[in-house]
Amino acid sequence: MKNYIIVIIAVFLYSCKSDKQANGLNVEEVKEVVFDDSKYVVDTAFKIGDARRYGVTAETAGLAHPRSGKNRMTTALDLAEQSGLEISFPSGYYNMNLTLDSRKNINLRFDKSEFNLIHITQVKITDSIPENINIKGTLIAYDRLGMTEARNIKIDTVILKSDIKKNLQKTRNRGCHIYHGCDNITINYLEVQDLGSGDEKHIYTHAAIAIDGWNNNPTNITINKAYIKSSDRHGVYITGSDNYIKELIIDKFGVGTSEFMDGMQDSDSSKDEHKEFTGLWINKCYDCAFDKVTINEKDSKGKHTAFFDAGDKTKPTLIDNMVILNDSKLIDVKRDPDTAVEATISVK
């Protein structure tokens, strides 16, 4: 017996709308669109929308799907994209990347599901841009959360950890990078437990959270709460327009090395500014805002608590409340003469 996903779409028939109004009727005609999921089903014991119904668990996600010819994870993502159905994935370590490149109109839910890399980008300029992606629940990644040319993305919770045994490149975490062309990205909670350094695999690892992109900087990025437990390099490096971090907590930054580290977008590499590790570096930000920033200097070894770099005074970046804990005489707040950052700072 076939299984169906029923999608109801309300359609106004404009050709007869005036006749119905003339007769005092308010009638909507409905067209029923039927999506057949039978070619995806592996185990009918699970309900529609449960990834296990399509043969996906943490242990089986990389196996070939018996009908599609693709692996089971990719097949479940294809189903989500084609049907509009929310697909729920069980917990566990998937030993693979979660790749959503060029995906559109997709709804996913995760239950503390662990992946190597979370990737949402446009691989080639001729590819479609990823957009209208909604991710609920909690995701854990051992490499990086990376987005490029992504639009209209909503993510509930992402936790970035270091575990060399679970990282497919056998190295430490590379943090969150929201790169060029990104617009309208919302993350409810983002936690970076550890950002690594010290080998060539970290050449482009600049900050636990990096929001940048040469000449096409991210816009309308919102993070409700970001918690950085430890970063070998910068805590947060942020550029762009209309970006908003409601609460930012940085426990420790600058505890690693700049060896093998390349220059950073929009920074002055000739001055080696990228090697001056900073808790919060705000550079070329326009109409951006932070409600509360807390930076702990107790175990930090960076050079600057914050670097308020160049901006536009007609489009200031506002920090309502910045708290420095365990103030160190060796770490300062650096201000560019052309900064447009306005911050209320207290030391505790």
Short mmCIF file of all heavy atoms in Angstrom, two decimals, residues 93-124:
data_model
loop_
_atom_site.label_atom_id
_atom_site.label_comp_id
_atom_site.label_asym_id
_atom_site.label_seq_id
_atom_site.Cartn_x
_atom_site.Cartn_y
_atom_site.Cartn_z
N TYR A 93 26.39 9.94 16.63
CA TYR A 93 27.49 10.48 15.83
C TYR A 93 27.40 9.91 14.41
O TYR A 93 27.49 8.69 14.22
CB TYR A 93 28.84 10.13 16.46
CG TYR A 93 30.02 10.53 15.59
CD1 TYR A 93 30.18 11.86 15.20
CD2 TYR A 93 30.95 9.59 15.15
CE1 TYR A 93 31.24 12.23 14.39
CE2 TYR A 93 32.02 9.96 14.36
CZ TYR A 93 32.15 11.28 13.97
OH TYR A 93 33.20 11.66 13.17
N TYR A 94 27.26 10.79 13.43
CA TYR A 94 27.00 10.37 12.05
C TYR A 94 28.27 10.10 11.24
O TYR A 94 28.18 9.57 10.14
CB TYR A 94 26.14 11.42 11.35
CG TYR A 94 24.67 11.33 11.73
CD1 TYR A 94 24.24 11.65 13.02
CD2 TYR A 94 23.72 10.90 10.81
CE1 TYR A 94 22.90 11.55 13.37
CE2 TYR A 94 22.37 10.81 11.15
CZ TYR A 94 21.97 11.13 12.44
OH TYR A 94 20.64 11.03 12.79
N ASN A 95 29.42 10.49 11.74
CA ASN A 95 30.70 10.20 11.06
C ASN A 95 30.69 10.67 9.61
O ASN A 95 31.19 9.98 8.70
CB ASN A 95 31.00 8.70 11.14
CG ASN A 95 32.45 8.39 10.78
OD1 ASN A 95 33.35 9.19 11.05
ND2 ASN A 95 32.69 7.23 10.18
N MET A 96 30.12 11.86 9.38
CA MET A 96 30.03 12.41 8.03
C MET A 96 29.73 13.90 8.15
O MET A 96 29.46 14.41 9.24
CB MET A 96 28.91 11.72 7.23
CG MET A 96 27.52 11.97 7.78
SD MET A 96 26.20 10.93 7.05
CE MET A 96 26.46 11.18 5.31
N ASN A 97 29.78 14.60 7.02
CA ASN A 97 29.41 16.01 6.98
C ASN A 97 27.91 16.16 6.78
O ASN A 97 27.29 15.35 6.07
CB ASN A 97 30.13 16.73 5.85
CG ASN A 97 31.63 16.78 6.04
OD1 ASN A 97 32.13 16.82 7.17
ND2 ASN A 97 32.37 16.77 4.95
N LEU A 98 27.35 17.20 7.37
CA LEU A 98 25.98 17.60 7.05
C LEU A 98 26.10 18.68 5.99
O LEU A 98 26.41 19.83 6.30
CB LEU A 98 25.25 18.11 8.29
CG LEU A 98 23.84 18.64 8.04
CD1 LEU A 98 22.93 17.55 7.47
CD2 LEU A 98 23.24 19.22 9.31
N THR A 99 25.87 18.31 4.74
CA THR A 99 26.08 19.21 3.61
C THR A 99 24.74 19.64 3.04
O THR A 99 23.99 18.81 2.51
CB THR A 99 26.92 18.52 2.52
OG1 THR A 99 28.15 18.06 3.10
CG2 THR A 99 27.23 19.48 1.39
N LEU A 100 24.47 20.95 3.13
CA LEU A 100 23.22 21.51 2.64
C LEU A 100 23.48 22.50 1.50
O LEU A 100 22.71 23.43 1.30
CB LEU A 100 22.46 22.19 3.79
CG LEU A 100 22.15 21.30 4.99
CD1 LEU A 100 21.47 22.11 6.10
CD2 LEU A 100 21.28 20.12 4.59
N ASP A 101 24.55 22.27 0.77
CA ASP A 101 24.92 23.18 -0.32
C ASP A 101 23.82 23.25 -1.37
O ASP A 101 23.33 22.21 -1.85
CB ASP A 101 26.21 22.70 -0.97
CG ASP A 101 27.39 22.70 0.00
OD1 ASP A 101 27.27 23.31 1.07
OD2 ASP A 101 28.42 22.08 -0.32
N SER A 102 23.45 24.48 -1.73
CA SER A 102 22.45 24.76 -2.77
C SER A 102 21.06 24.20 -2.47
O SER A 102 20.20 24.18 -3.35
CB SER A 102 22.93 24.25 -4.14
OG SER A 102 24.12 24.91 -4.52
N ARG A 103 20.83 23.79 -1.23
CA ARG A 103 19.49 23.31 -0.85
C ARG A 103 18.55 24.50 -0.68
O ARG A 103 18.95 25.58 -0.26
CB ARG A 103 19.55 22.52 0.45
CG ARG A 103 20.37 21.23 0.37
CD ARG A 103 19.59 20.12 -0.28
NE ARG A 103 20.31 18.84 -0.25
CZ ARG A 103 19.83 17.72 -0.78
NH1 ARG A 103 18.65 17.71 -1.36
NH2 ARG A 103 20.55 16.61 -0.73
N LYS A 104 17.26 24.26 -0.96
CA LYS A 104 16.26 25.31 -0.83
C LYS A 104 15.01 24.76 -0.15
O LYS A 104 14.67 23.58 -0.33
CB LYS A 104 15.86 25.85 -2.20
CG LYS A 104 16.95 26.58 -2.97
CD LYS A 104 16.43 27.02 -4.34
CE LYS A 104 17.50 27.74 -5.15
NZ LYS A 104 17.83 29.05 -4.60
N ASN A 105 14.33 25.63 0.60
CA ASN A 105 13.01 25.31 1.14
C ASN A 105 13.02 23.97 1.87
O ASN A 105 12.27 23.05 1.54
CB ASN A 105 11.98 25.28 0.01
CG ASN A 105 12.01 26.55 -0.81
OD1 ASN A 105 12.11 27.65 -0.27
ND2 ASN A 105 11.92 26.41 -2.12
N ILE A 106 13.88 23.88 2.88
CA ILE A 106 14.09 22.61 3.57
C ILE A 106 13.93 22.81 5.07
O ILE A 106 14.38 23.81 5.64
CB ILE A 106 15.47 22.04 3.19
CG1 ILE A 106 15.62 20.59 3.60
CG2 ILE A 106 16.61 22.87 3.74
CD1 ILE A 106 16.83 19.91 2.97
N ASN A 107 13.25 21.85 5.71
CA ASN A 107 12.99 21.90 7.15
C ASN A 107 13.51 20.63 7.80
O ASN A 107 13.09 19.52 7.44
CB ASN A 107 11.48 22.03 7.40
CG ASN A 107 10.91 23.32 6.86
OD1 ASN A 107 11.12 24.39 7.40
ND2 ASN A 107 10.18 23.21 5.74
N LEU A 108 14.42 20.80 8.76
CA LEU A 108 15.06 19.66 9.40
C LEU A 108 15.01 19.82 10.92
O LEU A 108 14.98 20.93 11.44
CB LEU A 108 16.52 19.55 8.96
CG LEU A 108 16.81 19.57 7.46
CD1 LEU A 108 18.30 19.63 7.20
CD2 LEU A 108 16.19 18.36 6.77
N ARG A 109 15.03 18.71 11.62
CA ARG A 109 15.06 18.72 13.08
C ARG A 109 16.09 17.68 13.55
O ARG A 109 16.12 16.55 13.03
CB ARG A 109 13.69 18.39 13.66
CG ARG A 109 13.64 18.45 15.20
CD ARG A 109 12.28 18.09 15.73
NE ARG A 109 11.29 19.10 15.39
CZ ARG A 109 11.05 20.19 16.11
NH1 ARG A 109 11.76 20.40 17.22
NH2 ARG A 109 10.13 21.04 15.74
N PHE A 110 16.91 18.08 14.53
CA PHE A 110 17.96 17.20 15.03
C PHE A 110 17.86 17.07 16.55
O PHE A 110 17.44 18.00 17.24
CB PHE A 110 19.34 17.73 14.64
CG PHE A 110 19.57 17.75 13.15
CD1 PHE A 110 19.28 18.88 12.40
CD2 PHE A 110 20.05 16.62 12.49
CE1 PHE A 110 19.48 18.89 11.03
CE2 PHE A 110 20.26 16.62 11.13
CZ PHE A 110 19.97 17.77 10.39
N ASP A 111 18.28 15.91 17.05
CA ASP A 111 18.22 15.62 18.48
C ASP A 111 19.64 15.36 18.98
O ASP A 111 20.06 14.21 19.14
CB ASP A 111 17.32 14.40 18.72
CG ASP A 111 17.22 14.02 20.19
OD1 ASP A 111 17.54 14.87 21.05
OD2 ASP A 111 16.85 12.87 20.47
N LYS A 112 20.40 16.46 19.19
CA LYS A 112 21.80 16.35 19.61
C LYS A 112 22.56 15.45 18.63
O LYS A 112 23.37 14.61 19.03
CB LYS A 112 21.91 15.84 21.04
CG LYS A 112 21.30 16.77 22.07
CD LYS A 112 21.44 16.24 23.49
CE LYS A 112 20.80 17.20 24.49
NZ LYS A 112 20.86 16.70 25.87
N SER A 113 22.29 15.65 17.36
CA SER A 113 22.92 14.86 16.30
C SER A 113 24.31 15.40 16.03
O SER A 113 24.49 16.62 15.88
CB SER A 113 22.06 14.90 15.05
OG SER A 113 20.70 14.61 15.37
N GLU A 114 25.30 14.51 15.92
CA GLU A 114 26.70 14.91 15.80
C GLU A 114 27.22 14.67 14.38
O GLU A 114 27.06 13.57 13.84
CB GLU A 114 27.55 14.12 16.79
CG GLU A 114 27.10 14.26 18.24
CD GLU A 114 27.86 13.32 19.16
OE1 GLU A 114 29.08 13.11 18.93
OE2 GLU A 114 27.24 12.77 20.08
N PHE A 115 27.85 15.71 13.82
CA PHE A 115 28.44 15.62 12.49
C PHE A 115 29.86 16.16 12.52
O PHE A 115 30.25 16.84 13.47
CB PHE A 115 27.61 16.40 11.46
CG PHE A 115 26.26 15.82 11.19
CD1 PHE A 115 25.17 16.15 11.99
CD2 PHE A 115 26.07 14.92 10.15
CE1 PHE A 115 23.91 15.61 11.75
CE2 PHE A 115 24.82 14.37 9.90
CZ PHE A 115 23.74 14.72 10.70
N ASN A 116 30.62 15.90 11.48
CA ASN A 116 31.95 16.49 11.36
C ASN A 116 31.83 17.97 11.03
O ASN A 116 32.26 18.84 11.78
CB ASN A 116 32.75 15.78 10.27
CG ASN A 116 34.12 16.39 10.07
OD1 ASN A 116 34.95 16.43 10.96
ND2 ASN A 116 34.35 16.92 8.86
N LEU A 117 31.19 18.28 9.90
CA LEU A 117 31.10 19.64 9.38
C LEU A 117 29.64 19.95 9.05
O LEU A 117 28.92 19.09 8.54
CB LEU A 117 31.95 19.75 8.12
CG LEU A 117 31.87 21.03 7.28
CD1 LEU A 117 32.56 22.18 8.00
CD2 LEU A 117 32.49 20.81 5.90
N ILE A 118 29.23 21.18 9.33
CA ILE A 118 27.92 21.67 8.88
C ILE A 118 28.21 22.71 7.81
O ILE A 118 28.82 23.74 8.08
CB ILE A 118 27.12 22.29 10.04
CG1 ILE A 118 26.96 21.29 11.18
CG2 ILE A 118 25.75 22.76 9.54
CD1 ILE A 118 26.45 21.92 12.47
N HIS A 119 27.79 22.42 6.58
CA HIS A 119 28.18 23.24 5.44
C HIS A 119 26.95 23.69 4.67
O HIS A 119 26.15 22.88 4.21
CB HIS A 119 29.08 22.40 4.52
CG HIS A 119 30.04 23.19 3.71
ND1 HIS A 119 30.03 23.21 2.33
CD2 HIS A 119 31.06 24.02 4.08
CE1 HIS A 119 31.01 24.00 1.90
NE2 HIS A 119 31.64 24.50 2.93
N ILE A 120 26.79 25.02 4.52
CA ILE A 120 25.66 25.59 3.79
C ILE A 120 26.23 26.64 2.85
O ILE A 120 26.51 27.77 3.25
CB ILE A 120 24.63 26.23 4.75
CG1 ILE A 120 24.22 25.24 5.85
CG2 ILE A 120 23.40 26.69 3.97
CD1 ILE A 120 23.32 25.85 6.92
N THR A 121 26.42 26.27 1.58
CA THR A 121 27.09 27.20 0.68
C THR A 121 26.69 26.96 -0.78
O THR A 121 25.94 26.04 -1.10
CB THR A 121 28.62 27.08 0.83
OG1 THR A 121 29.25 28.14 0.11
CG2 THR A 121 29.12 25.76 0.29
N GLN A 122 27.20 27.82 -1.63
CA GLN A 122 27.10 27.69 -3.08
C GLN A 122 28.49 27.28 -3.56
O GLN A 122 29.40 28.09 -3.55
CB GLN A 122 26.67 29.02 -3.68
CG GLN A 122 26.62 29.08 -5.19
CD GLN A 122 26.46 30.49 -5.71
OE1 GLN A 122 27.10 31.42 -5.21
NE2 GLN A 122 25.61 30.69 -6.69
N VAL A 123 28.66 26.03 -3.96
CA VAL A 123 29.99 25.52 -4.28
C VAL A 123 30.56 26.21 -5.51
O VAL A 123 31.69 26.68 -5.51
CB VAL A 123 29.95 23.99 -4.48
CG1 VAL A 123 31.33 23.48 -4.89
CG2 VAL A 123 29.49 23.30 -3.20
N LYS A 124 29.77 26.27 -6.58
CA LYS A 124 30.18 26.95 -7.81
C LYS A 124 29.28 28.15 -8.06
O LYS A 124 28.11 28.14 -7.68
CB LYS A 124 30.12 25.98 -8.99
CG LYS A 124 31.00 24.75 -8.86
CD LYS A 124 30.80 23.83 -10.06
CE LYS A 124 31.64 22.56 -9.92
NZ LYS A 124 31.41 21.63 -11.06
#
